[in-house]
């Protein structure tokens, strides 16, 4: 059964490549959306990024089909942010990955290639992933934003960060957009990758 199969060297190579690609897509979409949404709907940016990055995750998850894929992705993502000067996110994203993996525990191993189970796992991870900005501000304060944004932008971001309504809305939006992203990814997988034999 797949659940008993451990990750092999080739799996780790694929995980590394796809994890970096996931980070690149997520960051690129966030970079594009920020000028338009940072002052009007900043908490929703993460959900938009997760929607497009879902395809990368689903291809990775379906191709490898083993336990630990989501956890590995979360650790790599956290490590990148740690290298960028925010080590707290390594711990936070790892926790998000663990909780996502928990949703995949029950089963005979086939759940790791079940698109619905993987979509739920990704959504759990995504909802918490979207809270990373909040956690960073709560722990480090607004000082870490100084080098990245001007005063007006910082004030706007702080207002979102300490708004319960926006926090809950961002959490739910990230969850829903992650699910929708996985549904789109499933169509792409069925149309292009499964028929081509690249993914089982």
């Amino acid at each position: 059964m797949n659940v008993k199969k451990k990750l092999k060297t080739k799996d780790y190579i694929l995980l590394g490549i796809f994890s970096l690609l996931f980070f690149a897509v997520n960051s690129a979409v966030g970079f594009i959306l920020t000028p338009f949404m940072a002052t009007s709907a900043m908490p929703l940016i993460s959900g938009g990024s997760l929607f497009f990055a879902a395809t990368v995750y689903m291809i990775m998850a379906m191709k490898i089909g083993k336990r630990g894929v989501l956890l590995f992705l979360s650790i790599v993502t956290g490590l990148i942010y740690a290298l960028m000067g925010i080590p707290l996110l390594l711990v936070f994203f790892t926790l998000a990955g663990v909780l996502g993996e928990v949703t995949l525990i029950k089963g005979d191993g086939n759940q790791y290639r079940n698109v619905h189970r993987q979509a739920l796992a990704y959504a759990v991870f995504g909802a918490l992933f979207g809270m990373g900005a909040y956690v960073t501000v709560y722990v480090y304060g607004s000082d870490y934003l100084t080098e990245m944004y001007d005063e007006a932008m910082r004030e706007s971001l702080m207002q979102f960060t300490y708004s319960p309504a926006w926090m809950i809305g961002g959490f739910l939006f990230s969850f829903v957009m992650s699910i929708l992203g996985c549904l789109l990814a499933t169509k792409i997988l069925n149309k292009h990758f499964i028929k081509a034999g690249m993914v089982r």
Side-chain angles (χ1 to χ4, degrees):
M1 293 186 292
N2 289 336
V3 73
K4 295 183 178 180
K5 291 183 179 180
K6 296 182 179 180
L7 293 170
K8 299 179 180 179
T9 300
K10 65 177 183 179
D11 295 322
Y12 284 112
I13 293 173
L14 285 174
L15 282 169
I17 294 172
F18 277 106
S19 294
L20 292 175
L21 182 58
F22 172 88
F23 181 84
V25 172
N26 188 76
S27 298
V29 175
F31 181 80
I32 293 171
L33 294 179
T34 295
F36 304 99
M37 300 174 64
T39 58
S40 59
M42 182 273 288
L44 306 185
I45 294 176
S46 182
S49 299
L50 288 162
F51 174 84
F52 289 99
T55 299
V56 177
Y57 173 72
M58 289 297 282
I59 293 173
M60 173 175 64
M62 293 299 105
K63 187 170 182 62
I64 297 175
K66 298 176 183 177
R67 179 172 53 193
V69 170
L70 182 56
L71 179 58
F72 188 95
L73 170 70
S74 65
I75 292 174
V76 170
T77 303
L79 281 171
I80 294 174
Y81 278 104
L83 292 174
M84 293 169 62
I86 316 176
L88 170 68
L89 291 182
L90 172 57
V91 177
F92 185 74
F93 289 154
T94 298
L95 175 61
V98 169
L99 293 177
E101 288 281 353
V102 167
T103 69
L104 291 166
I105 290 177
K106 187 177 181 180
D108 60 2
N110 292 319
Q111 69 271 26
Y112 293 104
R113 281 202 171 97
N114 182 300
V115 293
H116 300 293
R117 294 288 298 276
Q118 284 290 0
L120 176 60
Y122 179 73
V124 170
F125 163 77
L128 292 173
F129 180 88
M131 295 293 100
Y134 290 89
V135 173
T136 303
V137 173
Y138 294 154
V139 174
Y140 295 118
S142 62
D143 292 343
Y144 94 104
L145 297 173
T146 303
E147 296 182 0
M148 294 184 288
Y149 304 105
D150 58 30
E151 184 176 355
M153 182 71 78
R154 290 199 304 273
E155 291 179 358
S156 179
L157 294 177
M158 292 299 289
Q159 289 178 358
F160 285 124
T161 301
Y162 287 98
S163 168
W166 273 108
M167 181 176 68
I168 295 171
F171 179 87
L172 295 175
F173 187 74
S174 291
F175 183 88
V176 171
M177 291 301 287
S178 295
I179 291 286
L180 293 177
C182 287
L183 293 178
L184 173 63
T186 299
K187 292 183 178 181
I188 294 174
L189 281 168
N190 290 331
K191 185 175 182 180
H192 299 288
F193 292 89
I194 293 178
K195 288 183 178 179
M198 296 176 65
V199 176
R200 287 198 298 169

